[in-house]
Every structure is written in structure tokens, then in C-alpha cells.
Amino acid sequence: MRKLLHVNLFEMNCVSHIMHGMWVHPDNNRHRFNDLDFWTETAQIAEHGTLDAVFLADVIGTYDRFRDGPETALREAMQIPSNDPLLVIPAMAAVTCHLGFGATFSTTYEPPFAFARRMSTLDHLTKGRVGWNIVTSYLPNAARNFGHPDEVPHDHRYEIADEYLDVLYKLWEGSWDDDAVVQDRERRIYTDPSKVRYIDHVGEHYQVAGPHLCQPSPQRTPLLFQASGSPAGLEFAARHAEVLFIGGHTQDDVRRNIARVRERVVAHGRKPDAVRFLVMAGIIVGRTDVEVATKLESYRRLVSAEGALAHSLAAVDLPSFPHHLLIGTLIDQGVPLADTLLRRFRREQTVGEALAQMASLHEDRFFVAGTPDVIADRIEIWLDQDGIDGINLRQYLSFETMRDFVELVVPELRRRGRYRTSYTDGETLRERMFGTGQPRLPAEHFGARYRDPGLLQAPADRLRFAGPATADRAKQLGTSSPP
Ligand SMILES: Cc1cc2nc3c(=O)[nH]c(=O)nc-3n(C[C@H](O)[C@H](O)[C@H](O)COP(=O)(O)O)c2cc1C
């Protein structure tokens, strides 16, 4: 069987998500993100192209390290202003029947009970079409927005996240039986009370009594997305994630990263194919080479190095250094280039070259520009040789990038048997990723244990897999830098 490509539209409820500077393009609609019809139009085009889902990134603070303040982010509309990702989903669901939705929410700053309810509500309203991108929030400003003096240390965020997930699984998987709601008019019983239970979670970070306020939704637990780059993140992903963002500079990198995750997934008692792997991809397609070149040129002209620098969380004001200086010289002089920059730059590059690189279209392994056959050739390599399962499609122009993909790439992929020709009626988002008949978490997944009422109130540490020793063995994964 030839692998089919999964495609999410990579979105964020803001103007400039990743491709900074592009909002000024006359054909860009990003400034309409406050309007409901921006989202309904997005959803309708995506469903017309039988995309898997619209995937919404999110941050809960602003990027204010660059030049010691938020001014650049504000000027560039770089993820600020930005609105809540969950709230546009019902509008998109109302104008579609099949399209899925992924929404990002952080486990670090708000306790889990209300979030469990919001996601169950969305799962009901969409009939099982939602997924959750689990993030722990890397922005220092996010910490300050929620009463912390500074960033919660990285690995500690994953410890909190682990307990957060415990609470959610108890609410989603364990608190209500499938047949709890009887709607018996004669006996005047809506819900059979013997089939609903408290969870009485008492942990290090949370105390949650339950019961969950929502009756079981089609998926119960929404499809779980995650992106990790660190050992702690990898262990977390191996236990919880069902769809994982992966990266790598070369094919070998990508294959190695996937193999590493699979190994850890199996160590957590799950099947090797229990996780699907997605990458962030940039695709610029045209009907002719001339059209492609014109698009490339017009995008390259607009892309903003300052937006990208602010996004990188680097404090250093790179444009203020003489452009002929070498990056190696700056490093030797102790100029604090953030890790996000050090990973991209080479010592022998000049400051000018590094800035030009920041003002680029992320032309990495998962970038391709060309006519539809060129794009499809490359996607087939990604699927068959790199071993990925799908992409989050980065947008240059809304709606042009998605329209181009739907009108030009989708037919070519379909012709090659690499992309669905229609949706399967009534399938949940989890079934779209893993096949029909499995709308809920598989039995081997960590969260499924709470379906056993006997385990619901067991002390959490009795249920955990041995974490720390395995974390030591995990290596850094090459995911892309956080969008
Ligand atoms: C494709 C992709 C999407 C991401 N989306 C978000 C997001 O919307 N919000 C966020 O706070 N972090 C996001 N991240 C960052 C990850 O949650 C994570 O912090 C990053 O990959 C580093 O991994 P680590 O936490 O293991 O160090 C994303 C990362 C990737 C690769």
C-alpha cells in the first residue's frame, strides 16, 4: 500500500505566524483574522481540498527579548495581536462536515479542569474532529502573565504536563461510563448516577475532585499532537503523543529521529506505529517555472529578518553590528547569540549573510518550490525515504498558499495515489490518522488505563513508567525551532 499524505493547514489566530513580513503583500488576507469570515473561508477551502485539519498554533505571551521589549513583535504583527485558537473552531465546524481541527493549549499555567471541559465541548460540537497540540510554553513573558517571576524551568514544565495529562485522562476516560446517559423520559432519569464518578485526583500540582462535567464525547481524549526537541520532551511524547512533529536537516537525521521516537514509544508499552510523524513544510507551487520564480521573488522581497530575529528569542541586536563581521568573531567576543541562532549560523558567515539567512523562506529539507510534478516528486521522497506521514503546510499568503496546494498539488498527488479522493463519512480525527474503527485512545495508551475505575484513584506514582533513567538515554531530537 502506498502511503497517503496527511496535510494540515498550519494556522495561528494572528497576523504573522511564521513567515514574518508577508502580511504587507496586497494579496494577503492575514489582517482579517479578527473576522469570522476569514475562518469560515479558510475552513471551506481546506475542506474542498480534503485536508486533514486546520492546525492552530498558539502562544500566551509576547516575544519581548529582542531589543529588550515587544516593539519589534508589535510592529511586525509577529504573533501579536493574537486571539484564542479554540474559539474559532466552532465557526469552522459549522461550515464544514469533515475537516478536522488541531488547537494548541499550554499545560503550564492554567489548571486542567476547565480545559478538559472546553475540549470535550469542542469534541461534541465537531463530532470528534478535534485534536490538541500539547505545549508547555517557552516564552518568559507567558510566565509573567500568569503570576510567575520568570520562566518555569524546562524539565519541570514537562513534570507538570505529565500530571496535567493524568488529570485529563481521568476526566475524559474514566469519569463517565459510555452508557451513563440514558435519557429515560418515563423513569425521569437523564444520567444514571451509578455510571459517573469522582476522580479525586490528589497530586503534586493539582487536586481535582470531578466528576467531569461533560458526558463522553466521540473521541473522549482528543487526538494528541506534540513537538519535542529535548530528552524530557521526548519521554513525554513517547508516553502521550499520537502525532508528533519531527525535523532534521538531512534524510538520515529525519529517519534517525523517527526511529528514536519509535524506540521510546515501544518502551512505553505502545505499538511502534502508534505515532504518526509530521513535518512543517513550505510548498510554493506554480503552473509554470516562470510563475514559481515570480512568486519566490515576490515572497523573498517581503520576508522580514527583524520579525524572524524577534521570533528567535535572541536578545542580541544583530543588525546593529557591522555587517562584514564574522559570526565566529561575535561568538569569540562573547556576544550572546541565542541557541536558536547558533543552531542556524556558521562561524564563517558574516553578520550580513546571517541576516540575509534570517530573511529567507526557511528553505530547508522540507521546502520545495516548483511545478506540481516537482512538488509531488519531492513529497513522495519525504513519504517513502524520509519516512514521514504528513505535513503542516506553512502559509506565505492566505489564502493563496492553500488554494495553490488544493488546485495544483492535490490533483497531482491524487493522480499518483498519494492523497485521499474523498473523506470517509463520520470518521473522527483520530480515525483519519490511524484508520476507521478506532475513534478513541488505543488500549495500550497510558491514558486508557483510567477506563478501569479501580485505577482511577490509585496513587499516580504506582502507575508511572520509569522515567528518569530512560530520559538520560534519550538524545536531542532535531525538531524545527518553535513557531
Ligand atoms: C511544528 C511545531 C509547532 C509548534 N507549535 C507550538 C505552539 O503553537 N506553541 C508553543 O508554545 N510551542 C510550539 N512548539 C514548540 C514545542 O512545543 C516545543 O517547545 C519545541 O519543539 C521544543 O521542544 P522541547 O519542549 O522538548 O524543548 C511547536 C514546535 C513545532 C516543531
Side-chain angles (χ1 to χ4, degrees):
M1 262 280 278
R2 281 144 76 80
K3 221 197 279 183
L4 302 192
L5 182 77
H6 290 281
V7 183
N8 298 323
L9 181 72
F10 207 8
E11 255 298 348
M12 185 163 175
N13 197 347
C14 70
V15 178
S16 193
H17 172 201
I18 309 175
M19 295 314 310
H20 307 305
M22 300 295 299
W23 72 273
V24 300
H25 193 291
D27 294 334
N28 211 341
N29 280 286
R30 299 270 1 144
H31 60 287
R32 289 175 46 208
F33 79 105
N34 289 311
D35 299 337
L36 213 55
D37 61 10
F38 174 87
W39 295 101
T40 52
E41 197 170 338
T42 296
Q44 282 164 329
I45 302 169
E47 180 152 282
H48 176 67
T50 60
L51 263 64
D52 288 70
V54 171
F55 181 101
L56 292 138
D58 192 41
V59 291
I60 44 177
T62 197
Y63 293 76
D64 58 1
R65 275 212 179 132
F66 183 60
R67 293 185 183 137
D68 216 9
E71 290 79 3
T72 307
L74 286 161
R75 252 196 318 270
E76 297 275 339
M78 199 277 281
Q79 304 193 1
I80 182 171
S82 97
N83 295 338
D84 192 300
L86 299 183
L87 298 181
V88 293
I89 290 175
M92 291 194 280
V95 296
T96 54
C97 297
H98 305 281
L99 184 67
F101 309 98
T104 299
F105 194 83
S106 171
T107 51
T108 303
Y109 299 112
E110 294 181 62
F113 185 78
F115 176 67
R117 188 184 189 205
R118 273 178 236 147
M119 284 313 274
S120 294
T121 306
L122 284 177
D123 204 46
H124 277 300
L125 294 178
T126 62
K127 301 231 180 304
R129 293 192 268 151
V130 288
W132 169 32
N133 179 31
I134 310 168
V135 299
T136 67
S137 295
Y138 49 78
L139 284 177
N141 178 253
R144 300 200 301 275
N145 288 334
F146 290 89
H148 298 260
D150 205 350
E151 223 176 338
V152 179
H154 178 278
D155 287 10
H156 187 50
R157 296 205 302 268
Y158 278 105
E159 284 163 28
I160 297 172
D162 217 36
E163 188 182 334
Y164 192 103
L165 269 285
D166 246 12
V167 174
L168 293 179
Y169 295 139
K170 290 177 181 183
L171 293 166
W172 285 333
E173 300 289 330
S175 187
W176 289 59
D177 289 345
D178 279 337
D179 54 357
V181 172
V182 290
Q183 292 182 349
D184 186 333
R185 286 189 159 89
E186 272 195 3
R187 291 193 298 148
R188 304 179 71 94
I189 301 173
Y190 196 88
T191 301
D192 178 349
S194 70
K195 299 194 167 175
V196 180
R197 53 197 72 83
Y198 292 107
I199 64 162
D200 285 331
H201 175 91
V202 180
E204 207 181 319
H205 306 285
Y206 305 111
Q207 295 196 13
V208 180
H212 190 30
L213 294 181
C214 309
Q215 72 188 72
S217 65
Q219 299 182 108
R220 283 188 180 251
T221 298
L223 182 67
L224 300 174
F225 291 82
Q226 216 253 331
S228 31
S230 60
L234 169 61
E235 280 312 295
F236 180 87
R239 189 199 322 257
H240 301 286
E242 298 179 275
V243 184
L244 195 61
F245 292 101
I246 199 95
H249 296 297
T250 64
Q251 191 169 92
D252 282 347
D253 275 354
V254 181
R255 292 172 68 88
R256 216 178 4 255
N257 288 335
I258 290 177
R260 222 175 258 158
V261 176
R262 275 201 215 288
E263 185 194 308
R264 299 307 313 145
V265 164
V266 171
H268 281 268
R270 303 169 67 192
K271 295 190 175 144
D273 61 353
V275 175
R276 297 279 184 258
F277 295 93
L278 302 188
V279 295
M280 213 188 340
I283 294 178
I284 296 174
V285 60
R287 286 169 184 79
T288 61
D289 288 339
V290 174
E291 197 182 314
V292 175
T294 309
K295 279 183 187 166
L296 272 172
E297 201 274 322
S298 77
Y299 299 173
R300 283 188 181 132
R301 203 157 18 92
L302 292 179
V303 88
S304 153
E306 298 230 338
L309 282 166
H311 196 171
S312 76
L313 282 175
V316 63
D317 186 358
L318 198 60
S320 70
F321 288 88
H323 286 203
H324 66 271
L325 273 189
L326 291 180
I327 292 293
T329 310
L330 297 193
I331 294 171
D332 295 342
Q333 288 173 356
V335 173
L337 294 171
D339 283 351
T340 43
L341 296 185
L342 287 172
R343 275 202 296 271
R344 289 186 212 189
F345 299 159
R346 284 171 289 108
R347 287 184 63 87
E348 56 279 15
Q349 271 180 310
T350 63
V351 167
E353 285 162 350
L355 288 171
Q357 191 185 325
M358 291 306 280
S360 76
L361 299 175
H362 296 274
E363 296 178 34
D364 59 13
R365 169 136 201 94
F366 297 104
F367 172 86
V368 56
T371 48
D373 52 325
V374 171
I375 307 284
D377 284 350
R378 187 68 67 83
I379 287 175
E380 290 202 276
I381 291 173
W382 295 345
L383 285 170
D384 296 338
Q385 294 174 32
D386 292 51
I388 65 156
D389 299 297
I391 61 172
N392 258 18
L393 183 67
R394 207 158 50 214
Q395 297 188 76
Y396 302 95
L397 299 183
S398 304
F399 309 101
E400 183 176 287
T401 306
M402 176 172 44
R403 274 214 180 98
D404 283 350
F405 186 84
V406 168
E407 286 173 14
L408 302 176
V409 182
V410 162
E412 181 60 25
L413 288 174
R414 283 187 177 145
R415 206 180 56 72
R416 299 180 184 205
R418 290 303 198 155
Y419 190 72
R420 70 176 65 81
T421 50
S422 63
Y423 289 111
T424 302
D425 269 343
E427 74 183 352
T428 60
L429 189 55
R430 181 169 285 109
E431 289 172 294
R432 184 160 304 151
M433 291 307 295
F434 291 99
T436 42
Q438 191 176 290
R440 295 187 172 166
L441 282 180
E444 316 78 46
H445 189 282
F446 183 83
R449 69 195 55 219
Y450 296 122
R451 291 173 190 156
D452 175 353
L455 286 181
L456 203 54
Q457 277 137 28
D461 57 356
R462 237 188 59 204
L463 304 171
R464 294 207 186 285
F465 293 98
T470 52
D472 286 346
R473 289 212 309 271
K475 299 237 173 60
Q476 193 80 12
L477 278 182
T479 47
S480 328
S481 58

